Amino acid sequence: MEAEMFNKRTDLTQLNIAVGQIRETLGKIIVGQKDTIDFLIAGLLADGHILLEGVPGVAKTLSAKLVAKSIDASFSRIQFTPDLMPSDVLGTSVFDPRNAAFEYRKGPIFGHIILVDEINRAPAKTQSALFEVMEERQITVDGHTYVMDEPFMVLATQNPIEQEGTYRLPEAQLDRFLFKIEVKYPSLEEETAILLNQHQHRLNDALNEVKPVLSVGQIRSCRAIIKGLHVEPKLIEYVAKITHETRNNKSLYLGASPRASLAMVNSAKAFAAMQGRDFVTPEDIIKVAAPVLAHRVMLTPDREMEGLTTSDIVAQIIQKIEIPR
């Protein structure tokens, strides 16, 4: 019986080799930020978009670019600014006098990995241009639908402190991000290592040495494997309890939607696979809970005035609910 169960185990060898290569590649350039790197890889494997939030200079954009560079796929970068229009992102129809007809010219959103830098600098009109493509992997222009090639992933960055010339992201858009990752300041030891690398010109050499370690086909295969990983019914119920509690918590004005529950299950599967397991544990769910939920819920005004964060409330909810064993 044990032999039969062993034969049914999912082979994660190739996936783990690829994850190890990406970690090694990014680790040569990004000092510290191990959690950030892991969440970026998990987002890629779980077919989700990621929002990186942190003060300027903590390697948000560099991390996103390196993830894209480690994949043999097309890459686009869009710098969001207050005067950016939806057509600057999606593309526009241009009249061709030779054919006496309008011809659609694709915008920079067409690609596999899309880096949206300073996403909160564009107004709501431009933000809304991302709604359809982030959720349905397609855009509709002049009555025609254009489907994105797989994989399709949006990596966005924003500064949480600066207010001048920025716009708050709509809740509907935040809900489309699988993770919101808070990129912290480096420790003293990490900052010393960063300075040494820059001083000794190691950074430029390492950047030039970055080579793709995953193909588009391999990403599709890895995603198919992860979707098939086992999740016990009691863990599904555990996820549902966490999400349900956000809707009944007195500290939260807005709770999470079923999309958050799906995101927790999918990202927990990705982390399980990254650990070499073909099954999800409660620890996987706990690890992804805050990055999945914190940007999807809203604090009540009194809790906000007390200095609490949504991550604090998510942590309280996790402590409150009994962990299935």
Side-chain angles (χ1 to χ4, degrees):
M1 186 69 176
E2 290 183 1
E4 183 180 347
M5 290 179 65
F6 180 78
N7 290 333
K8 292 181 179 178
R9 296 289 295 272
T10 304
D11 185 5
L12 299 171
T13 305
Q14 295 301 317
L15 186 149
N16 292 146
I17 290 173
V19 169
Q21 288 176 329
I22 295 177
R23 279 177 175 154
E24 183 181 357
T25 300
L26 270 63
K28 291 177 181 177
I29 301 169
I30 304 296
V31 178
Q33 308 288 8
K34 291 183 179 179
D35 282 345
T36 299
I37 291 171
D38 279 352
F39 276 107
L40 284 168
I41 297 171
L44 177 67
L45 297 176
D47 192 14
H49 310 296
I50 295 178
L51 178 62
L52 294 162
E53 183 177 86
V55 298
V58 290
K60 301 185 301 296
T61 302
L62 179 60
S63 298
K65 288 172 67 177
L66 286 173
V67 169
K69 201 170 182 180
S70 63
I71 298 162
D72 188 13
S74 59
F75 171 73
S76 289
R77 176 175 177 172
I78 312 172
Q79 186 70 47
F80 269 30
T81 57
D83 60 347
L84 197 73
M85 298 297 290
S87 59
D88 297 326
V89 177
L90 304 179
T92 187
S93 295
V94 178
F95 185 74
D96 185 355
R98 292 172 298 179
N99 301 322
F102 283 93
E103 177 185 343
Y104 176 63
R105 294 187 181 176
K106 295 180 178 180
I109 197 65
F110 285 86
H112 290 116
I113 309 295
I114 312 299
L115 170 59
V116 179
D117 216 4
E118 302 272 10
I119 190 171
N120 58 336
R121 287 199 172 277
K125 185 176 183 179
T126 304
Q127 300 288 356
S128 64
L130 297 174
F131 282 18
E132 181 184 10
V133 71
M134 289 180 67
E135 177 61 21
E136 302 175 43
R137 275 35 176 206
Q138 66 177 38
I139 66 167
T140 304
V141 179
D142 295 335
H144 295 282
T145 299
Y146 301 88
V147 179
M148 300 291 125
D149 292 331
E150 290 188 22
F152 175 76
M153 182 184 190
V154 173
L155 297 172
T157 70
Q158 72 172 10
N159 178 357
I161 305 300
E162 193 171 12
Q163 300 298 322
E164 188 70 27
T166 62
Y167 302 83
R168 179 183 173 89
L169 297 188
E171 280 70 26
Q173 184 176 8
L174 285 171
D175 199 34
R176 284 161 166 78
F177 284 103
L178 179 70
F179 298 135
K180 179 182 176 184
I181 305 173
E182 295 183 8
V183 185
K184 308 289 187 181
Y185 282 119
S187 65
L188 177 60
E189 293 77 13
E190 290 169 349
E191 189 149 2
T192 302
I194 292 170
L195 293 173
L196 283 172
N197 287 343
Q198 185 67 43
H199 174 64
Q200 297 170 358
H201 305 289
R202 292 177 187 168
L203 180 60
N204 290 334
D205 293 339
L207 280 169
N208 294 330
E209 291 174 3
V210 174
K211 305 295 181 186
V213 298
L214 266 181
S215 67
V216 168
Q218 287 175 312
I219 294 173
R220 291 171 183 161
S221 298
C222 289
R223 287 179 172 180
I225 291 171
I226 287 171
K227 285 180 181 178
L229 295 193
H230 178 68
V231 185
E232 293 188 10
K234 62 183 179 181
L235 293 182
I236 297 289
E237 184 180 0
Y238 181 53
V239 169
K241 285 181 179 178
I242 295 172
T243 306
H244 186 75
E245 181 60 29
T246 65
R247 303 168 195 161
N248 298 284
N249 192 289
K250 293 181 180 179
S251 298
L252 295 177
Y253 171 72
L254 175 70
S257 70
R259 185 185 282 150
S261 297
L262 293 169
M264 266 195 286
V265 172
N266 292 335
S267 52
K269 286 181 180 181
F271 268 102
M274 289 167 62
Q275 300 301 318
R277 287 183 276 105
D278 63 352
F279 58 91
V280 172
T281 66
E283 288 71 24
D284 296 321
I285 295 168
I286 293 170
K287 184 175 183 66
V288 304
V292 166
L293 292 173
H295 61 289
R296 290 179 157 96
V297 298
M298 291 178 63
L299 290 171
T300 56
D302 53 337
R303 290 292 179 268
E304 199 166 359
M305 290 178 65
E306 290 174 9
L308 290 173
T309 65
T310 52
S311 295
D312 294 331
I313 304 303
V314 172
Q316 292 175 12
I317 289 173
I318 293 295
Q319 291 179 347
K320 177 180 177 181
I321 300 175
E322 183 180 357
I323 299 174
R325 295 297 179 186

